[in-house]
Amino acid sequence: MKKLLAIFLLAVSGVQAAAAVEIQDVTSPGGIKAWLVEEHSIPFVSLELRFKGGGNLDLDGKRGATNLMTGLLEEGTGDLDSRAFAKARDSLAASFGFDVGADTVSVSARFLTETQDQAMGLLHQALVAPNFDEASLERVRQQVLTGIRSSQTDPNDIAGREFALQVYGDHPYATPYEGTAESVTALTRDDIVTAHKNALALDRVYVSAVGDITAEQLGTLLDKLLAGLPETGAPAPGPATLTFDGKTTVKPFETPQSVALFAQPGMERDDPDYFAAYILNQILGGSGFDSRLMTEVREKRGLTYGIGTYLIPRDYAELWLGQVASANDKVADAISVVRDEWSKLAKDGVTQEELDQAKTYLTGAYPLRFDSNAAIADILVGMQMDDLPISYVETRNDNVNAVTLEQINRVAAELLKPDELTFMVVGQPAGL
């Protein structure tokens, strides 16, 4: 299946040009599916792999295992230790990135056409047969523990942890995928090997590639790159049961500025009203300085430097989440304004002017995301994980523009739930 679309490709030299390109739906001889944009003007390829599951696949009592495992993927394979691996990679002018989140393990690769075979051979070894040697394990473990200790004194991190515990109950989302100092310290090499087998499996991989490679070449590459990974991984957790009590909870912490997270139930990505909700969020607390919350909380009252809201359709939970930081003596006022604006929007909806302004911003900003091969590859793999069609790149702005005032105000009345808007405040807030 092929679709034509106009997007921006950014050459390695930095010269940007608009080009009509094809997104191809590719299936390798071995059955691995991928999306491809061929761009042969520069001998360079960006490759993105996503393994669904991420930190959610940690076994009971092994929190942080998937995160620690991912950090060890570039620490050596075969007879290459971490330094030799880095030297081999750099000698090929290639770059590899390994990352983990609650829902995914991400692998990014950038490589030249002329060294493609060697670069992909090296990446294959890192993915399929990492050494996980004890010296590297202890070094990366200490790096993770340093980050965990640092997060204990960061009000934003504390707010995130406390809020997750309150909202997600006993779901894996309730605890940080990085683990705790205790859980990470207790992890063994066997735990890391198990996490590797559970997370990097062929039944949960999504792939996109952009650059100097054909569909046939990509299929061959993927079969070789992923050969040796298990067919299936660990089972995914079920949906989270969310708790929003509508209250404001304070976690005392000595700091001159309080951090507040707030949320209510969100919306699934495939809901027919998602675009209306997406625009509604932009009007309420989206990017830029024109949102209602930015206007009311910052511009009119000077209660914060910044405030934002986000629709978060996670794999196993949907939230409408927001965050604001304010001086301890002002945060209560900021929360009051947020609650008021939430209620006003639910009751009165938005104006045609607000809707038109949000549409203009969202449709104008969208093409700017396609500013490099790597960015395009990242977008395409994300689309696959969200079960969006190839045509989405062409139709996305049409879907935004199709939202009517009647629809968005119906969604505001149905989706916004002021009584369930729940706050977690970390700091020394006055009046709370």
Side-chain angles (χ1 to χ4, degrees), residues 28 30 32 51 120-121 123-130 132 193 196-203 205 220-233:
S28 76
I32 299 170
F51 295 89
M120 291 299 93
L123 181 59
H124 167 76
Q125 286 297 109
L127 292 176
V128 175
F132 297 144
V193 171
H196 177 264
K197 178 182 66 175
N198 287 346
L200 301 190
L202 295 176
D203 66 334
V205 68
T220 301
L221 180 154
L222 292 176
D223 284 346
K224 291 181 178 179
L225 176 64
L226 302 178
L229 289 179
E231 291 291 331
T232 59

Side-chain angles (χ1 to χ4, degrees), residues 60-362:
D60 289 344
K62 307 298 181 181
R63 201 63 171 131
T66 305
N67 178 63
L68 184 53
M69 178 276 295
T70 306
L72 286 162
L73 290 177
E74 58 183 338
E75 292 297 317
T77 175
D79 60 356
L80 300 176
D81 62 14
S82 60
R83 289 187 178 182
F85 179 86
K87 184 177 180 180
R89 179 200 61 212
D90 293 347
S91 71
L92 299 170
S95 66
F96 305 144
F98 305 93
D99 200 6
V100 65
D103 292 320
T104 59
V105 172
S106 304
V107 180
S108 304
R110 315 284 180 262
F111 52 90
L112 299 174
T113 306
E114 64 179 300
T115 58
Q116 172 183 301
D117 290 344
Q118 300 96 309
M120 291 299 93
L122 188 63
L123 181 59
H124 167 76
Q125 286 297 109
L127 292 176
V128 175
N131 286 338
F132 297 144
D133 62 277
E134 291 293 345
S136 296
L137 172 58
E138 290 308 314
R139 182 175 64 255
V140 176
R141 189 202 309 272
Q142 292 306 313
Q143 294 171 357
V144 172
L145 289 173
T146 297
I148 291 173
R149 295 187 189 102
S150 176
S151 72
Q152 304 301 313
T153 59
D154 186 319
N156 293 286
D157 290 337
I158 296 171
R161 287 195 302 272
E162 295 294 327
F163 195 74
L165 282 172
Q166 179 176 349
V167 170
Y168 293 117
D170 59 358
H171 195 272
Y173 285 150
T175 56
Y177 62 82
E178 297 90 347
T180 65
E182 293 76 18
S183 68
V184 173
T185 298
L187 292 172
T188 67
R189 184 182 186 279
D190 286 344
D191 296 328
I192 302 305
V193 171
T194 298
H196 177 264
K197 178 182 66 175
N198 287 346
L200 301 190
L202 295 176
D203 66 334
R204 62 194 59 206
V205 68
Y206 297 79
V207 184
S208 68
V210 179
D212 185 27
I213 190 170
T214 67
E216 182 179 2
Q217 290 168 337
L218 178 61
T220 301
L221 180 154
L222 292 176
D223 284 346
K224 291 181 178 179
L225 176 64
L226 302 178
L229 289 179
E231 291 291 331
T232 59
T241 300
L242 305 180
T243 300
F244 297 101
D245 60 16
K247 299 178 181 179
T248 298
T249 302
V250 176
K251 176 71 173 179
F253 184 76
E254 189 173 347
T255 177
Q257 179 171 265
S258 292
V259 172
L261 289 181
F262 51 96
Q264 65 144 73
M267 177 179 282
E268 293 183 354
R269 182 62 184 80
D270 59 358
D271 192 291
D273 285 323
Y274 184 81
F275 279 100
Y278 181 64
I279 299 173
L280 191 64
N281 176 74
Q282 176 65 23
I283 294 170
L284 174 60
S287 54
F289 285 87
D290 295 326
S291 73
R292 288 194 181 188
L293 291 182
M294 186 68 82
T295 298
E296 295 297 328
V297 180
R298 171 177 168 156
E299 299 301 320
K300 289 186 177 180
R301 296 172 176 84
L303 300 175
T304 185
Y305 284 109
I307 184 171
T309 59
Y310 320 89
L311 281 174
I312 311 291
R314 304 181 78 168
D315 284 357
Y316 309 106
E318 297 80 40
L319 277 73
W320 199 340
L321 178 69
Q323 182 170 5
V324 63
S326 187
N328 285 325
D329 62 348
K330 295 181 178 180
V331 69
D333 292 336
I335 290 172
S336 178
V337 175
V338 172
R339 289 193 181 277
D340 287 346
E341 291 303 314
W342 218 269
S343 297
K344 288 178 185 177
L345 191 55
K347 178 182 177 182
D348 302 327
V350 306
T351 66
Q352 186 66 53
E353 181 181 2
E354 287 177 313
L355 176 58
D356 292 342
Q357 186 176 20
K359 286 181 178 181
T360 298
Y361 175 83
L362 293 172

Side-chain angles (χ1 to χ4, degrees), residues 275 278-279 358-359 362-363 395-403:
F275 279 100
Y278 181 64
I279 299 173
K359 286 181 178 181
L362 293 172
T363 56
T395 62
R396 184 266 193 187
N397 278 355
D398 291 338
N399 288 327
V400 171
N401 285 324
V403 173

